[in-house]
Amino acid sequence: MDRDFFADFKNSLSLKAILIGLIIGVIFFLIVKRYDILSPTPIVFGCGFISGYIAGGKSKNGIINGFIGSLGYPLTLQSLFFIYYPYLPIKIPIFTLIVNTTIILIVCGLIGALGGLIGVNIKKPRNNGNNAGQKHLVCDKCGGYYELQLGESPEDFTDKCECGGNLKYVQDLNDTDE
Ligand SMILES: [Zn+2]
């Protein structure tokens, strides 16, 4: 069961989505010099949104990639505390710093996960409920799918998804839901 969980988790990760989210977070950190409570929140949320949107697929993918992809800003900030630790004007016990960093990363990650959840669902094609009987190509990695139009056949398409996963042909989309 644990093996399945980790395999599933690993399968949900999108390196590209996370990297882009992280890089944007670091860039914004460098632009927004002052750390106040108003500026980091939309940045962290936005990075999570971008990571979720790029990752695509199921809601779970948005949450996982949004969580990790949103950490560029807080990771850069907290790294500075550790790098300049000996020169801090006010002495903070290292244990307090580690606990604070953990809390900040979890809070930022949750904000990012929310952004990722929204991002992934904005990207998702609208499921209008009349998929039954429709033919689809479904990615086994990111969960993205393409609905075949009238007159299109699965042979017209590549069997590789843009995420690197394999596209499988399914008659009824509901068969693939977990
Ligand atoms: Zn895919």
Side-chain angles (χ1 to χ4, degrees):
M1 194 217 157
D2 279 359
R3 280 183 88 93
D4 284 352
F5 175 79
F6 284 112
D8 197 37
F9 180 80
K10 213 179 134 216
N11 218 19
S12 301
L13 291 176
S14 165
L15 197 61
K16 187 176 94 178
I18 290 170
L19 270 178
I20 292 173
L22 287 176
I23 289 167
I24 292 172
V26 173
I27 290 170
F28 267 95
F29 177 81
L30 298 174
I31 294 170
V32 184
K33 289 212 171 67
R34 283 185 60 96
Y35 185 71
D36 59 73
I37 196 66
L38 280 175
S39 51
T41 311
I43 294 168
V44 166
F45 180 87
C47 291
F49 177 90
I50 290 164
S51 292
Y53 187 88
I54 295 170
K58 296 174 183 167
S59 296
K60 182 186 67 183
N61 294 19
I63 293 170
I64 292 172
N65 292 292
F67 189 103
I68 305 170
S70 69
L71 298 180
Y73 189 109
L75 274 176
T76 313
L77 174 77
Q78 292 307 116
S79 307
L80 293 179
F81 278 102
F82 285 97
I83 293 166
Y84 292 105
Y85 186 75
Y87 314 107
L88 289 181
I90 304 159
K91 281 286 157 226
I92 308 168
I94 192 79
F95 177 75
T96 307
L97 188 57
I98 291 169
V99 170
N100 286 352
T101 301
T102 309
I103 294 169
I104 288 168
L105 290 181
I106 290 171
V107 171
C108 289
L110 290 175
I111 296 168
L114 179 67
L117 179 65
I118 294 169
V120 86
N121 280 293
I122 282 178
K123 189 182 192 180
K124 197 182 279 180
R126 290 291 124 221
N127 187 335
N128 47 20
N130 39 14
N131 280 321
Q134 282 274 20
K135 294 162 181 175
H136 291 88
L137 291 171
V138 181
C139 174
D140 62 0
K141 190 179 173 196
C142 72
Y145 61 86
Y146 180 81
E147 192 177 297
L148 292 182
Q149 304 299 314
L150 223 69
E152 288 179 342
S153 114
E155 289 82 51
D156 300 339
F157 298 91
T158 160
D159 57 354
K160 285 277 176 207
C161 177
E162 58 186 22
C163 78
N166 293 307
L167 291 174
K168 283 186 306 185
Y169 175 62
V170 287
Q171 216 27 272
D172 186 349
L173 202 63
N174 297 326
D175 292 348
T176 61
D177 286 349
E178 282 153 47

